[in-house]
C-alpha cells in the first residue's frame, strides 16, 4: 500500500487530517484560519457595488488567497475603473482573480523542495508543478483547469510567477495523462502531501486506475484536447517551450495511443464484436452516469475517422460516442500542436503526424457530422454514430456546438455554424434550450430541465456580432449572479435558485467575455466613444 493509499484509508476510517502525523501541517493551519470558500461564497460580503443590484465583494481576505499577482491586480483596476455598470464591474473584480484567489491548492516553481532543482526535467514531478482544483470539489479536472487558467495566459509574459504557475499546470497535467489518460479528474500529486478524497462511487472501470491518483475516471475526449490546449495557448502567448520535456512528449505519445484505440469501431472487418479498450459502469439511478451495454456504450460504425468520447464535458455519458464538439476541438489542437512543434524546432515527423491526424479529423467531421435539418438547413450534429443516426442538441458546457468559433474550428460567419447557432439557441431546435419567467439559456441533462447555465449566455455573447444580443446576455448573467460570482446553473423560474456557489471555470469564462468586449466593443462596457482595452 502506498503512503497515499494509506492516507486515504485513514481519512475513510474517519481520522481527520490532523490525526496522521502532521504530514500536511501547513495547509491544515491555513484551512483552520480561513473560512471554507463554499460557505464564504454563499453569503454576501462588503463593500457592495453601489449599483442597482448592489452586488457584494466576494474575494477572500488577502491572507487567504491561494496565489497573488500584481499584474492581475492591475488589470482588475484598469478594467473596473472604466466600467460604467458598477454591478458588472463588481462581478469582474470577483470573477477575474477567482482561480488564483481560491483554487491553487499547490504550486512549486521547481527550484526547491519536492520538485528538486534539476537541470534534468525528465523525471516524474520534476520542475514547476501546479495543482488547481475546480472549486467546491478538492480535485483537478483537466478541462476545468485549462479553462480556469485561460484568463491569465495573456499576462504570463509579464509576470514570471504567473508563467511558472501555468508551466507547472502543464507539467502536472502531463503526469496525470501519463498515469491515467482515460480519466477526467485527479487527486493532489504525491509531492504536495495533500491527502486525496474519495468520490463516493463504486465505479467499475477498465483500464483500472489507482484511486490515490485519480478522483474520477470518465473518458472525455475533450480532457485530452484541453491538455494540448494548455500548452499551445501558453506557447502562443509567451513563446516559451519550457514544457517540452520528455515527460510532455511521453504524455503526448500516451494521448495518441488513446486516440487510436478510441477510433476503433464496435465491430471489426469480419463483423465480429470487439470490446472497447475503455469501459465504465456505475451503480446509479441516473442514466447519464453510466454506460449502456455493459459499460461499452452504444455501437459505433467503422470508417468514419471520428474519435469516440464516452462522456461529455458535462461529465454526462454520450448517447452516441462520436461527440462532435470534442472531435472539433481535438482536430484544432492537433494542428496547433503540430505548428508549435515546427516553429519550436521539435521533431518534424511527429509534427507531420499530428498535422495529418488533425486534418483527417476535420474532414471526418465535415463528412459525417453535417446533417440537413428541415427548418435550419445544414447544421452540425451534437453526436453521431456513423450509421446515420444523430443527436441534434447542444449542452452548456464547453466544448459545445455554440463554442465552435471560440475553439478555432470555424469562422463565426460560416454558414453551417450560423445555421447551427440558430438551431441550438431556439426552443424548437434544441431540447436543452430552457426558458422560464426569470431566466433562459442552454442547459443540459446534468442539472436538469429547469436550469439554464450562465456559461452558455457568455459563449453566446462571445460568438455574437450584435451589440444588442451581447448586452442582453451579459445583463442576464449579471442579474442572476446576486452573490457576486458566476454560478453553474440558474432555475429558469427563480433567479435566486442556483447550483454551485464556487465554480471557478464559469468565473473565468465571464472574465474572458468582459476582456473580449473591452478589446473589441469597448463602448458596450466603458461608454460611447471609449478606447479599446488590451491588457
Ligand atoms: C498573498 O499576499 C498576502 C498579503 O501580502 C499574503 O498574506 C499571502 O500569504 C500571499 N499568498 C500567497 C499564496 O502568496
Ligand atoms: C436585469 O434586471 C433589471 C432590473 O434590475 C431589468 O431592468 C433588466 O431588464 C434585466 N435584464 C435582463 C437582460 O434580464
Amino acid at each position: 500500500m502506498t503512503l497515499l493509499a494509506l492516507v486515504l484509508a485513514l481519512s475513510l476510517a474517519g481520522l481527520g487530517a490532523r490525526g496522521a502525523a502532521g504530514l500536511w501541517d501547513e495547509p491544515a493551519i491555513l484551512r483552520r484560519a480561513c473560512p471554507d470558500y463554499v460557505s464564504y461564497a454563499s453569503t454576501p460580503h462588503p463593500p457592495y457595488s453601489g449599483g442597482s443590484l448592489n452586488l457584494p465583494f466576494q474575494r477572500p481576505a488577502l491572507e487567504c488567497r491561494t496565489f497573488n499577482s500584481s499584474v492581475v491586480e492591475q488589470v482588475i483596476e484598469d478594467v473596473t475603473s472604466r466600467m460604467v455598470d458598477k454591478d458588472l464591474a463588481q462581478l469582474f473584480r470577483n470573477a477575474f482573480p477567482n482561480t488564483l484567489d481560491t483554487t491553487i491548492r499547490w504550486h512549486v516553481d521547481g527550484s526547491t523542495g519536492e520538485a528538486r532543482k534539476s537541470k534534468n526535467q525528465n523525471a516524474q514531478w520534476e520542475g514547476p508543478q501546479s495543482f488547481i482544483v475546480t472549486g467546491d470539489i478538492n480535485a483537478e479536472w483537466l478541462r476545468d483547469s485549462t479553462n480556469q487558467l485561460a484568463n491569465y495566459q495573456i499576462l504570463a509574459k509579464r509576470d514570471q510567477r504567473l508563467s511558472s504557475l501555468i508551466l507547472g499546470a502543464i507539467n502536472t497535467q502531463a503526469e496525470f495523462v501519463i498515469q491515467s489518460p482515460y480519466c477526467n479528474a485527479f487527486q493532489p500529486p504525491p509531492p504536495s502531501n495533500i491527502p486525496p478524497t474519495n468520490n463516493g462511487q463504486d465505479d467499475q472501470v477498465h483500464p483500472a486506475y489507482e484511486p490515490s491518483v485519480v478522483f474520477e475516471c470518465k473518458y472525455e475526449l475533450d480532457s485530452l484536447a484541453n491538455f494540448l490546449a494548455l500548452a499551445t495557448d501558453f506557447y502562443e502567448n509567451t513563446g516559451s517551450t519550457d514544457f517540452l520535456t520528455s515527460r510532455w512528449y511521453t504524455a503526448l505519445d500516451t494521448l495518441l495511443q488513446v486516440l487510436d484505440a478510441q477510433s476503433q469501431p464496435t465491430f471489426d472487418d469480419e463483423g465480429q464484436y470487439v470490446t472497447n479498450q475503455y469501459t465504465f459502469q456505475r451503480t446509479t439511478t441516473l442514466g447519464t452516469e453510466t454506460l449502456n451495454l455493459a459499460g461499452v456504450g452504444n455501437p459505433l460504425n467503422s470508417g468514419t475517422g471520428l474519435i469516440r468520447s464516452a462522456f461529455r464535458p458535462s461529465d454526462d455519458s454520450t448517447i452516441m460516442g462520436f461527440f462532435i464538439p470534442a472531435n472539433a476541438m481535438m482536430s484544432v489542437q492537433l494542428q496547433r500542436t503540430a505548428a508549435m512543434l515546427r516553429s519550436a524546432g521539435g521533431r518534424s515527423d511527429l509534427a507531420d503526424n499530428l498535422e495529418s491526424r488533425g486534418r483527417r479529423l476535420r474532414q471526418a467531421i465535415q463528412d459525417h457530422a453535417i446533417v440537413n435539418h428541415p427548418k435550419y438547413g445544414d447544421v452540425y450534429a451534437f453526436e453521431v454514430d456513423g450509421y446515420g443516426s444523430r443527436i441534434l442538441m447542444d449542452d452548456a458546457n464547453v466544448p459545445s456546438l455554440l463554442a465552435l468559433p471560440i475553439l478555432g474550428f470555424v469562422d463565426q460567419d460560416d454558414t453551417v455554424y450560423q445555421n447551427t447557432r440558430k438551431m441550438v439557441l431556439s426552443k424548437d431546435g434544441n431540447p436543452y434550450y430552457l426558458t422560464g419567467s426569470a431566466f433562459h439559456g442552454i442547459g443540459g441533462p446534468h442539472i436538469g430541465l429547469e436550469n439554464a447555465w450562465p456559461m452558455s449566455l457568455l459563449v453566446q455573447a462571445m460568438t455574437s456580432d450584435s451589440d444588442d444580443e451581447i448586452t442582453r446576455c451579459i445583463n442576464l448573467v449579471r442579474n442572476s449572479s446576486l452573490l457576486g460570482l458566476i454560478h453553474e446553473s440558474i432555475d429558469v423560474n427563480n433567479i435566486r435558485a442556483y447550483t454551485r456557489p464556487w465554480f471557478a471555470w464559469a468565473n473565468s469564462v465571464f472574465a474572458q467575455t468582459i476582456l473580449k468586449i473591452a478589446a473589441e466593443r469597448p463602448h458596450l462596457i466603458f461608454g460611447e466613444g471609449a478606447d479599446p482595452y488590451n491588457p
Side-chain angles (χ1 to χ4, degrees):
M1 186 185 266
T2 65
L3 173 62
L4 282 171
L6 173 68
V7 164
L8 176 62
L10 287 173
S11 341
L12 289 177
L15 280 171
R18 298 181 61 208
L23 271 174
W24 42 86
D25 275 350
E26 284 188 13
I29 287 164
L30 203 66
R31 272 200 301 278
R32 276 198 301 277
C34 293
D36 169 37
Y37 195 68
V38 172
S39 47
Y40 194 82
S42 304
T43 53
H45 302 274
Y48 295 91
S49 70
S52 62
L53 295 172
N54 218 17
L55 296 183
F57 177 72
Q58 300 293 65
R59 297 186 68 183
L62 264 177
E63 63 275 13
C64 296
R65 295 179 191 168
T66 57
F67 197 88
N68 299 318
S69 161
S70 54
V71 175
V72 167
E73 298 303 324
Q74 190 59 53
V75 172
I76 295 171
E77 179 55 31
D78 290 349
V79 172
T80 58
S81 64
R82 290 180 63 190
M83 284 175 81
V84 175
D85 183 319
K86 293 192 170 98
D87 292 311
L88 270 186
Q90 185 83 306
L91 275 180
F92 186 82
R93 190 175 289 121
N94 294 331
F96 183 55
N98 189 252
T99 282
L100 297 184
D101 282 352
T102 66
T103 70
I104 313 301
R105 210 35 75 83
W106 179 64
H107 169 64
V108 289
D109 65 11
S111 59
T112 54
E114 298 288 353
R116 294 168 304 283
K117 190 175 181 69
S118 168
K119 297 268 175 291
N120 160 25
Q121 300 205 339
N122 294 330
Q124 216 182 354
W125 303 116
E126 288 291 349
Q129 302 288 337
S130 311
F131 180 67
I132 294 158
V133 298
T134 174
D136 50 15
I137 306 171
N138 197 29
E140 172 171 327
W141 266 250
L142 295 179
R143 167 188 45 260
D144 289 40
S145 56
T146 289
N147 286 290
Q148 285 167 251
L149 292 171
N151 266 333
Y152 313 123
Q153 293 265 17
I154 36 168
L155 305 177
K157 217 181 162 126
R158 282 155 50 199
D159 182 334
Q160 178 45 43
R161 288 180 63 254
L162 210 47
S163 175
S164 164
L165 179 73
I166 299 174
L167 175 59
I170 302 172
N171 293 340
T172 299
Q173 283 200 4
E175 297 299 338
F176 291 151
V177 169
I178 292 168
Q179 172 116 10
S180 286
Y182 280 109
C183 302
N184 58 326
F186 292 86
Q187 304 282 11
S192 72
N193 288 331
I194 303 171
T197 49
N198 187 301
N199 75 6
Q201 306 295 340
D202 63 344
D203 302 341
Q204 303 296 308
V205 184
H206 295 279
Y209 59 84
E210 170 54 54
S212 67
V213 174
V214 169
F215 179 80
E216 184 174 68
C217 197
K218 289 176 170 173
Y219 161 56
E220 299 164 6
L221 179 59
D222 79 289
S223 296
L224 296 175
N226 273 293
F227 165 66
L228 296 179
L230 187 57
T232 56
D233 229 21
F234 185 65
Y235 174 72
E236 283 158 21
N237 279 287
T238 63
S240 166
T241 54
D242 289 350
F243 58 88
L244 285 179
T245 62
S246 75
R247 296 303 283 171
W248 188 85
Y249 280 108
T250 304
L252 177 61
D253 193 50
T254 308
L255 178 157
L256 294 178
Q257 286 171 32
V258 169
L259 301 192
D260 289 340
Q262 296 308 316
S263 301
Q264 301 306 311
T266 307
F267 302 95
D268 70 13
D269 290 344
E270 277 77 51
Q272 279 296 324
Y273 167 64
V274 185
T275 309
N276 195 286
Q277 189 177 91
Y278 172 86
T279 62
F280 179 103
Q281 284 183 290
R282 174 175 290 180
T283 306
T284 173
T285 55
L286 303 172
T288 48
E289 290 293 320
T290 189
L291 294 176
N292 222 351
L293 290 164
V296 173
N298 293 320
L300 297 171
N301 210 351
S302 63
T304 61
L306 294 166
I307 304 170
R308 173 198 180 212
S309 188
F311 289 87
R312 299 171 178 169
S314 57
D315 299 334
D316 295 337
S317 55
T318 53
I319 298 169
M320 296 180 191
F322 295 140
F323 171 61
I324 300 309
N327 275 271
M329 183 179 184
M330 182 54 84
S331 89
V332 169
Q333 289 303 327
L334 287 167
Q335 290 185 291
R336 285 194 182 159
T337 305
M340 180 267 291
L341 285 178
R342 283 212 187 93
S343 63
R347 271 172 44 203
S348 67
D349 59 331
L350 181 58
D352 292 347
N353 177 319
L354 297 173
E355 172 64 30
S356 82
R357 283 173 183 267
R359 227 177 317 112
R360 274 185 277 130
L361 197 48
R362 169 174 288 278
Q363 191 59 48
I365 294 166
Q366 304 302 338
D367 292 346
H368 298 278
I370 298 178
V371 303
N372 193 263
H373 185 287
K375 176 169 175 189
Y376 295 97
D378 282 349
V379 295
Y380 288 106
F382 188 64
E383 291 170 1
V384 300
D385 66 357
Y387 290 98
S389 291
R390 75 286 299 263
I391 306 285
L392 298 182
M393 59 169 274
D394 205 14
D395 185 293
N397 287 259
V398 179
S400 59
L401 292 177
L402 188 62
L404 287 178
I406 301 172
L407 300 170
F409 185 73
V410 288
D411 284 338
Q412 205 166 293
D413 52 13
D414 178 89
T415 308
V416 179
Y417 171 70
Q418 281 300 327
N419 293 345
T420 307
R421 190 174 190 278
K422 288 193 193 86
M423 175 183 77
V424 302
L425 291 175
S426 71
K427 200 73 196 132
D428 71 350
N430 177 6
Y432 292 98
Y433 188 81
L434 306 173
T435 60
S437 58
F439 193 71
H440 57 262
I442 299 175
H446 197 68
I447 304 295
L449 297 173
E450 289 173 302
N451 282 55
W453 291 44
M455 193 184 294
S456 77
L457 289 159
L458 298 169
V459 173
Q460 184 181 349
M462 283 195 278
T463 55
S464 173
D465 267 334
S466 147
D467 280 1
D468 186 51
E469 183 182 17
I470 294 169
T471 302
R472 269 187 288 116
C473 289
I474 299 297
N475 287 347
L476 190 52
V477 170
R478 176 200 63 194
N479 285 8
S480 66
S481 304
L482 298 176
L483 285 167
L485 293 160
I486 313 300
H487 297 305
E488 178 186 51
S489 77
I490 304 285
D491 184 325
V492 292
N493 293 308
N494 176 9
I495 228 148
R496 289 176 187 279
Y498 66 87
T499 60
R500 299 186 75 183
W502 178 22
F503 182 33
W505 175 17
N507 288 293
S508 290
V509 177
F510 175 81
Q512 264 167 269
T513 309
I514 293 297
L515 289 176
K516 191 171 196 293
I517 296 171
E520 296 171 8
R521 296 167 189 264
H523 57 281
L524 293 185
I525 51 172
F526 297 149
E528 247 0 280
D531 287 333
Y533 173 77
N534 284 289

